[in-house]
Amino acid sequence: MYAIVDIAGQQFKVEAGRKIYVHRLKDEAGASVTFDKVLLTDNDGAVKLGSPYVEGAAVKATVLEHLKGNKVIVFKKKRRKGYQKKNGHRQYLTQIQIESIA
């Protein structure tokens, strides 16, 4: 069984027991969270499609840890003008583990 769920503005395909990285959540590590913006559920071929969300469906997860992603280097340059700009960015992430899909 899997579901397509909207978490913090992004859509993820989730299954019970899987760990995923999402944008930083406000909940503390070890807390249990419930996501009710489920767009689609599939239970062995029985597909339920929401408009926009599936009624009564929810995904329960546990927050494992908060961390920062890999560094992304942004480098801008205009040739023959002497213009160079280097900037780095690390996204704040939260790792969650999917407990159940109901």
Side-chain angles (χ1 to χ4, degrees):
M1 177 173 191
Y2 73 89
I4 306 293
V5 63
D6 185 0
I7 301 173
Q10 290 185 317
Q11 296 177 6
F12 295 94
K13 179 180 176 181
V14 296
E15 296 177 8
R18 302 214 42 206
K19 296 177 183 178
I20 60 172
Y21 293 99
V22 298
H23 286 302
R24 180 69 58 101
L25 300 176
K26 295 178 183 176
D27 301 301
E28 296 294 326
S32 179
V33 293
T34 302
F35 304 107
D36 57 351
K37 293 183 178 181
V38 179
L39 303 169
L40 180 140
T41 59
D42 182 7
N43 191 0
D44 296 327
V47 177
K48 290 184 183 177
L49 184 63
S51 61
Y53 305 119
V54 177
E55 292 187 24
V59 174
K60 294 181 182 176
T62 303
V63 176
L64 297 179
E65 64 177 333
H66 298 293
L67 52 113
K68 290 170 79 172
N70 294 333
K71 180 173 268 194
V72 177
I73 302 296
V74 180
F75 185 73
K76 300 177 182 180
K77 179 178 179 169
K78 294 186 180 178
R79 61 185 189 159
R80 296 187 300 271
K81 306 296 182 197
Y83 171 78
Q84 289 185 355
K85 182 70 174 175
K86 183 178 179 184
N87 192 7
H89 174 74
R90 291 185 75 185
Q91 184 70 38
Y92 291 104
L93 300 173
T94 299
Q95 184 180 25
I96 62 173
Q97 181 169 6
I98 306 300
E99 300 298 330
S100 65
I101 301 170

